[in-house]
Amino acid sequence: MLNSKQRAALRGAANSLEPVFLVGKGEIDETLIRGVADCLAARELIKLKVLETSSYTPREAADALCEATGADCVQVIGRKFVLFKRKPKESAYAALLG
């Protein structure tokens, strides 16, 4: 679980990121979950976007993907949300998280 200072630091780091996945009309299925998990393993911090045609709200999509991947939701703003999952070894965000 992230505290408020860690969350603020990660929000700042995610500010310049572009969304790497789009949640559309379909369900949040195994393919999307696997892709998000692989991306989190490689990058630790990712931004996703929920399309207007999606049956999910951004908060619902973020919560579903966090539960499925074991990630933490850093921020939900508008139709975008940011997920973070710390790497077990060296972390690119270790300085931010203390």
Side-chain angles (χ1 to χ4, degrees):
M1 203 65 182
L2 299 170
N3 64 35
S4 61
K5 283 188 178 186
Q6 292 170 330
R7 194 174 306 279
L10 290 172
R11 276 197 317 262
N15 195 24
S16 62
L17 295 178
E18 290 296 319
V20 292
F21 283 99
L22 300 175
V23 179
K25 279 190 200 178
E27 293 287 318
I28 295 179
D29 58 359
E30 281 300 315
T31 307
L32 179 62
I33 292 169
R34 194 174 318 112
V36 169
D38 291 345
C39 195
L40 281 167
R43 298 186 186 186
E44 292 185 283
L45 187 69
I46 62 171
K47 189 181 283 189
L48 297 93
K49 183 176 182 179
V50 177
L51 299 177
E52 289 188 27
T53 58
S54 176
S55 59
Y56 292 95
T57 65
R59 175 55 68 183
E60 291 170 343
D63 290 343
L65 287 169
C66 283
E67 185 177 322
T69 61
D72 290 314
C73 183
V74 175
Q75 175 182 27
V76 177
I77 186 163
R79 299 205 85 31
K80 296 177 184 173
F81 59 96
V82 178
L83 300 181
F84 173 75
K85 185 171 183 183
R86 187 185 306 240
K87 285 185 182 178
K89 298 227 176 175
E90 72 283 338
S91 174
Y93 298 98
L96 292 174
L97 300 176

